[in-house]
Amino acid sequence: MRGRKTSRMGLALLLFVLFLSAFTAWGAEDGSQGRRVWDMAGVLDEAEEARLEERIARSREELQLDMAVVTADDTEGRSGQDFADRFYEDAGLGWKDSSDGILFLLDMEHREMVLSTSGRAMRIFTDARLDAMLDRMYEGAAAGDYAASAEAFLD
């Protein structure tokens, strides 16, 4: 009898995990929920990440564009720009049902900052505007204050 009870509990647990996985994948796929800060280089503390997540949530609604901040110390053999562009796509980012948005990558491997735009953001953020944004963002990065650099991106 004990074996049957264990297998039923195992089956119930398996079904719950499958349901949870499907629900989580659906939420991430539509690009409207989930995190927007990925600190893979470990340069932000928890409070900085939380503050950036809050700012991004407000800015997304205000601009009706998706926004993300990514730090990486390994771009998997790709250029920073290619890594940022692919990360945006692979993470399923975009505003509602569109691909509209912008991502800031702090590439610690190549010691560069990259902005990746998609959809409507490509028209809004011209090369001149992106260059001006990067100029403002360099100050924080040069001082080792990567949160300040991300805040400048969101400004």
Side-chain angles (χ1 to χ4, degrees):
M1 214 48 168
R2 184 172 163 89
R4 280 192 176 161
K5 192 179 253 186
T6 302
S7 64
R8 284 184 187 155
M9 288 179 66
L11 180 60
L13 181 61
L14 177 63
L15 290 173
F16 176 74
V17 169
L18 289 173
F19 172 77
L20 187 60
S21 297
F23 183 76
T24 302
W26 173 78
E29 201 172 285
D30 77 356
S32 65
Q33 298 181 18
R35 68 195 269 196
R36 292 298 184 266
V37 178
W38 288 268
D39 182 23
M40 297 179 292
V43 298
L44 303 170
D45 63 34
E46 288 182 27
E48 291 169 333
E49 282 188 48
R51 189 172 62 246
L52 290 172
E53 288 282 3
E54 279 182 32
R55 291 263 335 257
I56 289 171
R58 286 192 311 267
S59 295
R60 289 177 72 228
E61 289 298 322
E62 185 178 309
L63 298 173
Q64 295 190 353
L65 291 173
D66 205 354
M67 304 178 85
V69 172
V70 177
T71 71
D73 54 7
D74 179 9
T75 59
E76 302 164 354
R78 293 182 271 182
S79 71
Q81 189 67 59
D82 187 45
F83 183 86
D85 294 345
R86 288 182 188 261
F87 189 96
Y88 191 92
E89 291 174 19
D90 292 347
L93 299 175
W95 177 251
K96 303 212 180 208
D97 293 332
S98 74
S99 66
D100 301 343
I102 185 168
L103 178 143
F104 165 47
L105 169 67
L106 181 59
D107 176 0
M108 299 302 285
E109 179 181 7
H110 299 106
R111 308 299 292 170
E112 68 178 341
M113 294 186 298
V114 175
L115 295 170
S116 175
T117 56
S118 181
R120 191 169 57 89
M122 294 173 77
R123 291 188 307 277
I124 295 169
F125 297 100
T126 63
D127 287 344
R129 181 176 265 177
L130 292 173
D131 287 342
M133 290 171 66
L134 286 168
D135 287 344
R136 287 191 307 274
M137 293 160 51
Y138 276 117
E139 187 176 323
D145 187 351
Y146 304 114
S149 187
E151 293 275 352
F153 160 69
L154 296 172
D155 288 342

